[in-house]
Amino acid sequence: MASLSFALLPEAASQFYDMLSCLAKFSDTVSIEAREDRLLICTLNSSRSGYAGFTLDYPQFFSEYSFNLARPTTSSTSVNKYSFRILNKALISAFRSRVADQRTRNTTVDKWVVTVQDRLDETECRLVIQAICNGGITKTYRLTFEEAEVTFALFEKNEAKNCWVISSTMLKENTDFFGPRAEQLDICHENGKISFISFTEKIVNAKKEVLKHPLQTTIAINAPDFEECEVLEQLHITISVKEFRSVVAHAASLNVSLRATYSRPSRPLQFSYGLNGVKSQFILMTAGEYRGPQVQPTAQEPLSVLSRPTNITVPITADNTMGAPPVPRMAQRKPNESNRALGRVSPVKAKAVSQQNETLFVRDDDEAWDPPNFDTEESVRWDASGDFSQLQSFRDSGTVSGQSAGPATENVDTEVPATQRVSQIRGLWG
Amino acid sequence: MRFKAQIQNITTFNKFVASLASIGPIAWVRLDEEHARFTVMPEQGTQVWAVLAIDTIFGHEYSIQSNADNTINLEVPLGSLQRALKSALQAHSASIRLTKKDGRPILSITIHRTTGPSASLAGNAPVGDTDDFGGVPVPLQWGTSDRETVITQDVPIRILSQATVEGLHEPRCRDPDVHILLPPLAQLKAASDRFTKLALSTPFTGPGPRLELAANMHGCLRLRVAADAIDIKSVWTGLVNPELDPGEVEGGEGGVEGHPSTRMRGLGDPLGRREEGWATVRIDGRDWGKVMSVGRLGGRVIACFCHESALILYVYMPDDEGREDSVLTYYISSYSI
């Protein structure tokens, strides 16, 4: 049993929305951990190769914040905290319409009050979001969540000797040029420049297929244009373009400097930045190789994950299968209910969400000349292409040296879709 | 085999490629010392054959070399090329060259971008130091130097042998019955897109939304859509029917006299009221929407109507000196009723 409530003023709510949008690029769910003076919202992607988290401080970020844990702490060392997991899509939609209102017209919502309802006499855990409007209207959203431990990614700061810091707006201007189908990004330091090279590993057999190969984009930025730049020459480190782009886009929305730190390929890379009570941290698994004098291993492992003192078991070292994230402890009551609430979002819908605020290229009026798409304007059809490759959060791995790992989405079949009725799947439990 | 050039006119090249890309995904590009030819032949629908004078898009630093009379034939994915050029829109210089990467031929576009001193200072602003409007305080001094970023876009291509392209020929049509200078394409596009939507929204029989486009030799152009439930038309009058140049017509003066358009001049009226004198073609509305995409180039367009047979559009790309050496030719076949 815990009580948590916090209030967001419009500006903070808009930032909160941006953070959720950013997290949505990594995973369908978001984990929230409340402590006495701060709130952490984070997520781990399905292949456990990318972690994104934001720490929001009180009082800088929240206008009101109160947290009480009614449960007695088990030992003197453990910290008072309460954590749960919620479907990001549900959470984001509660803020989306209100934020849109605020951006277009004059503010109609004065503040958002979020309360967590977790009482023994209630059958379901509820997150209640109230949008208090200035006309005396209050709009209320009730969302279901499940109590779950937060999984953190581990990052060894001491080991990470390579570091660069750059204006995120400058980086964003340039990363917009990566082709939409580019999957991986190689970052390297050569001849006084840091190069960002997007590429896609795809075996091309048929001659005609050559032309379908995506663009390969190289962006070379002079080292002096970085605010800090201490990177080993010839070190190639590879991450996912999609995740990199999400990080840069979010950092640029705050107009802050983005810091990257990493050690070597196959060890995690960390992006971090902060502003006004918000600390952002992204930990991404890397591949790549070191082409300098010494030879380094190039194998790729999933992120080591660290769970805070807890009763759940999480593998600390890795199997190479990139399997499902650890099964969280279900809410105490009605496990079926919460399981349903956390089902997967339909991929097609998720696609629509992720494209909403993604402008890949410089827009100009020239687009008015594009031939109109009569099909989409006049009728809705099924997308029969079945190409969901863009949705995959991390097309693993293959390193530059040609390593590969198992498919990242093996667990899809075993999960229950969000729309499926419990009665339909009763057979699984007898 | 070598090809290297400075892209002088990035905006024009970008618009040109965007126009072609709406017709089909792949272009056959033939480069020689004087011209760059781009041809798009989709499996069905309109074909476009474009000839660009080298200096329309490329600068003086143009070099080409090959064993086949310094001619290079390539197959280029237009979508990728367009994306690559889009990233060059705000560049201060861009160049293109043919090269190989990992054994595969590519067109590599190198783009030099400068981020101005204001942008560089914004980047250096300390974290959290923003003014009341959430922006970065305006610096009192400008930064010392501009930042230059180099972007390289590698477009995968195929090299075509001389034998492969030998069998490709530009379509040949009979002499047109009517030739007319089209009204501004923005107007024509707006009207025809609207008509196509109307045709799609009403139940119709047949394979697709058909537009009927007709013109006479008295400056009239008529756009019409007729389906079971609707019959709508728009008429433009007062357009120009250019005079034929005897030097260009087979048979000289005599050729002009015997030309179908000379006969058509004798029919019809300047208000387009009479039924005779019109040369008509029926075209697919969706396909026409793709053709209209060329309006972004802003050139003069002459339409040649072969009654009930074909429509040919000549789109002239003006260069800086007003010369019209670069032309895109669209071949659109007419559907029978």
Side-chain angles (χ1 to χ4, degrees):
Chain A
M1 234 176 51
S3 81
L4 166 70
S5 82
F6 55 87
L8 298 168
L9 294 177
E11 198 191 327
S14 149
Q15 277 189 34
F16 195 66
Y17 172 79
D18 289 343
M19 290 175 216
L20 292 175
S21 317
C22 181
L23 294 180
K25 306 267 171 64
F26 287 79
S27 161
D28 296 339
T29 58
V30 53
S31 300
I32 301 185
E33 185 186 90
R35 297 197 177 209
E36 274 166 14
D37 56 348
R38 64 179 190 264
L39 193 79
L40 169 75
I41 56 171
C42 65
T43 197
L44 189 68
N45 70 9
S46 64
S47 57
R48 293 169 72 200
S49 58
Y51 162 91
F54 299 98
T55 311
L56 314 174
D57 283 344
Y58 175 72
Q60 290 105 307
F61 187 78
F62 299 104
S63 59
E64 295 160 31
Y65 186 90
S66 92
F67 171 64
N68 276 306
L69 193 66
R71 260 196 300 253
T73 48
T74 44
S75 72
S76 55
T77 51
S78 72
V79 195
N80 280 345
K81 65 191 174 69
Y82 176 75
S83 58
F84 56 94
R85 205 161 70 157
I86 191 162
L87 200 60
N88 195 347
K89 213 184 149 209
L91 191 57
I92 212 168
S93 60
F95 285 94
R96 179 185 296 129
S97 56
R98 306 293 96 216
V99 167
D101 276 358
Q102 185 208 340
R103 281 176 183 169
T104 49
R105 303 176 226 147
N106 273 338
T107 312
T108 51
V109 181
D110 288 339
K111 70 172 176 179
W112 281 258
V113 179
V114 183
T115 18
V116 167
Q117 202 177 73
D118 180 20
R119 293 206 309 268
L120 289 173
D121 54 341
E122 293 277 343
T123 50
E124 282 175 331
C125 306
R126 290 285 194 198
L127 182 75
V128 183
I129 302 168
Q130 288 182 303
I132 299 169
C133 310
N134 54 8
I137 304 164
T138 304
K139 300 194 177 179
T140 309
Y141 301 80
R142 288 171 187 279
L143 314 176
T144 314
F145 65 85
E146 69 174 357
E147 207 175 318
E149 286 296 333
V150 174
T151 314
F152 297 92
L154 199 61
F155 182 73
E156 298 269 353
K157 269 213 163 109
N158 302 334
E159 210 184 74
K161 302 286 185 220
N162 299 299
C163 162
W164 48 258
V165 181
I166 191 168
S167 145
S168 57
T169 34
M170 179 188 175
L171 201 53
K172 168 117 193 350
E173 274 177 32
N174 289 307
T175 54
D176 281 345
F177 300 129
F178 293 131
R181 286 187 297 146
E183 285 167 4
Q184 305 200 40
L185 181 75
D186 178 15
I187 303 171
C188 67
H189 184 202
E190 276 171 333
N191 310 326
K193 286 180 174 187
I194 302 273
S195 296
F196 298 85
I197 305 160
S198 77
F199 66 100
T200 306
E201 284 203 332
K202 202 172 168 188
I203 300 148
V204 180
N205 294 325
K207 272 191 164 181
K208 273 276 176 192
E209 294 287 295
V210 170
L211 299 180
K212 292 185 182 160
H213 207 268
L215 269 184
Q216 179 170 323
T217 309
T218 307
I219 293 166
I221 301 176
N222 291 325
D225 290 339
F226 285 76
E227 288 156 36
E228 281 176 41
C229 182
E230 277 180 46
V231 182
L232 202 61
E233 286 253 356
Q234 300 292 325
L235 178 69
H236 287 255
I237 199 149
T238 308
I239 55 175
S240 137
V241 172
K242 189 189 163 205
E243 288 168 357
F244 176 71
R245 207 185 243 155
S246 319
V247 174
V248 172
H250 185 259
S253 74
L254 298 175
N255 194 13
V256 292
S257 294
L258 177 70
R259 172 181 292 270
T261 39
Y262 50 96
S263 52
R264 59 184 167 84
S266 82
R267 298 293 298 156
L269 170 149
Q270 185 199 50
F271 285 115
S272 57
Y273 51 88
L275 180 74
N276 299 341
V278 180
K279 272 202 288 276
S280 315
Q281 179 176 246
F282 299 85
I283 299 173
L284 309 177
M285 186 37 87
T286 64
E289 60 181 338
Y290 174 60
R291 296 179 191 162
Q294 272 179 322
V295 180
Q296 301 251 349
T298 58
Q300 185 177 13
E301 315 151 17
L303 291 176
S304 307
V305 286
L306 168 72
S307 186
R308 299 279 167 82
T310 169
N311 56 353
I312 62 169
T313 51
V314 172
I316 301 263
T317 46
D319 41 5
N320 256 332
T321 55
M322 293 279 193
V327 179
R329 187 164 55 102
M330 290 299 166
Q332 307 279 339
R333 306 167 295 279
K334 294 231 179 186
N336 286 357
E337 283 290 320
S338 43
N339 194 7
R340 190 172 63 171
L342 280 163
R344 265 182 103 77
V345 184
S346 130
V348 179
K349 288 176 182 168
K351 191 176 183 178
V353 170
S354 71
Q355 285 178 345
Q356 256 180 4
N357 33 20
E358 212 170 24
T359 40
L360 299 177
F361 285 96
V362 189
R363 292 194 167 268
D364 58 57
D365 293 329
D366 201 41
E367 284 180 17
W369 285 105
D370 288 337
N373 191 343
F374 296 108
D375 290 331
T376 54
E377 279 172 32
E378 300 295 333
S379 62
V380 180
R381 294 190 187 170
W382 295 107
D383 176 12
S385 65
D387 179 14
F388 298 125
S389 57
Q390 290 187 350
L391 296 164
Q392 227 161 17
S393 43
F394 190 75
R395 269 299 283 268
D396 180 302
S397 126
T399 60
V400 183
S401 53
Q403 289 248 344
S404 70
T409 50
E410 277 176 352
N411 55 340
V412 173
D413 290 342
T414 58
E415 287 186 9
V416 184
T419 52
Q420 194 164 10
R421 294 186 179 279
V422 176
S423 60
Q424 289 176 315
I425 50 165
R426 199 42 53 86
L428 288 177
W429 286 284
Chain B
M1 195 178 279
R2 274 190 202 154
F3 163 65
K4 210 170 106 183
Q6 199 72 23
I7 306 175
Q8 201 71 21
N9 211 330
I10 297 167
T11 321
T12 310
F13 194 21
N14 182 52
K15 286 180 177 177
F16 170 76
V17 172
S19 306
L20 297 189
S22 43
I23 298 294
I26 292 170
W28 160 39
V29 180
R30 184 168 181 270
L31 300 160
D32 60 31
E33 285 165 339
E34 285 168 5
H35 295 105
R37 290 164 203 271
F38 287 72
T39 305
V40 185
M41 288 181 283
E43 291 189 4
Q44 56 178 22
T46 301
Q47 288 190 10
V48 54
W49 291 68
V51 184
L52 301 182
I54 288 305
D55 52 7
T56 309
I57 43 175
F58 301 121
H60 302 295
E61 293 166 46
Y62 178 89
S63 78
I64 187 157
Q65 228 178 350
S66 86
N67 293 334
D69 283 344
N70 293 341
T71 300
I72 298 177
N73 286 289
L74 309 170
E75 207 170 19
V76 178
L78 290 169
S80 298
L81 181 61
Q82 192 191 348
R83 274 181 209 296
L85 291 173
K86 257 188 177 173
S87 46
L89 280 178
Q90 278 147 15
H92 64 79
S93 85
S95 62
I96 186 166
R97 73 194 164 96
L98 181 66
T99 177
K100 266 192 177 183
K101 197 168 201 173
D102 304 328
R104 283 198 294 253
I106 51 167
L107 272 179
S108 183
I109 300 177
T110 308
I111 299 150
H112 292 260
R113 276 181 103 232
T114 312
T115 319
S118 53
S120 84
L121 276 171
N124 287 331
V127 170
D129 187 11
T130 53
D131 63 18
D132 291 345
F133 302 100
V136 174
V138 178
L140 295 172
Q141 295 172 309
W142 292 106
T144 47
S145 67
D146 287 355
R147 292 168 159 182
E148 190 181 72
T149 310
V150 182
I151 301 164
T152 318
Q153 298 275 26
D154 294 338
V155 182
I157 52 152
R158 280 178 69 202
I159 308 257
L160 299 177
S161 67
Q162 194 61 36
T164 319
V165 299
E166 254 163 20
L168 300 172
H169 295 292
E170 198 158 345
R172 295 191 65 153
C173 297
R174 63 179 172 85
D175 284 339
D177 301 302
V178 169
H179 47 261
I180 191 163
L181 197 63
L182 290 185
L185 289 201
Q187 274 181 27
L188 192 55
K189 179 181 159 63
S192 51
D193 285 351
R194 189 77 209 124
F195 278 27
T196 304
K197 270 189 203 168
L198 281 167
L200 279 165
S201 65
T202 51
F204 59 90
T205 46
R210 294 275 186 267
L211 298 180
E212 196 184 286
L213 201 61
N216 69 13
M217 285 303 287
H218 297 276
C220 299
L221 176 78
R222 185 176 68 194
L223 178 69
R224 177 177 169 206
V225 60
D228 295 345
I230 52 169
D231 186 352
I232 314 164
K233 58 189 169 196
S234 277
V235 180
W236 282 262
T237 54
L239 302 174
V240 175
N241 300 102
E243 292 294 331
L244 287 176
D245 178 358
E248 296 283 317
V249 177
E250 205 178 316
E253 294 282 349
V256 171
E257 263 174 49
H259 198 269
S261 64
T262 312
R263 191 181 63 83
M264 292 294 268
R265 263 190 213 279
L267 301 167
D269 64 302
L271 292 174
R273 294 215 173 109
R274 270 183 252 159
E275 273 311 303
E276 75 254 24
W278 291 98
T280 310
V281 289
R282 267 171 296 277
I283 51 183
D284 180 81
R286 285 200 183 92
D287 190 45
W288 181 249
K290 295 175 185 171
V291 173
M292 285 292 97
S293 160
V294 76
R296 71 185 84 212
L297 281 170
R300 265 187 342 135
V301 185
I302 292 178
C304 293
F305 287 75
C306 302
H307 185 59
E308 301 278 1
S309 145
L311 173 65
I312 303 146
L313 299 186
Y314 296 95
V315 182
Y316 295 90
M317 282 171 68
D319 66 6
D320 297 337
E321 287 139 38
R323 280 178 302 161
E324 291 178 332
D325 294 342
S326 302
V327 188
L328 292 87
T329 312
Y330 286 81
Y331 293 93
I332 308 162
S333 347
S334 172
Y335 289 89
S336 51
I337 301 172

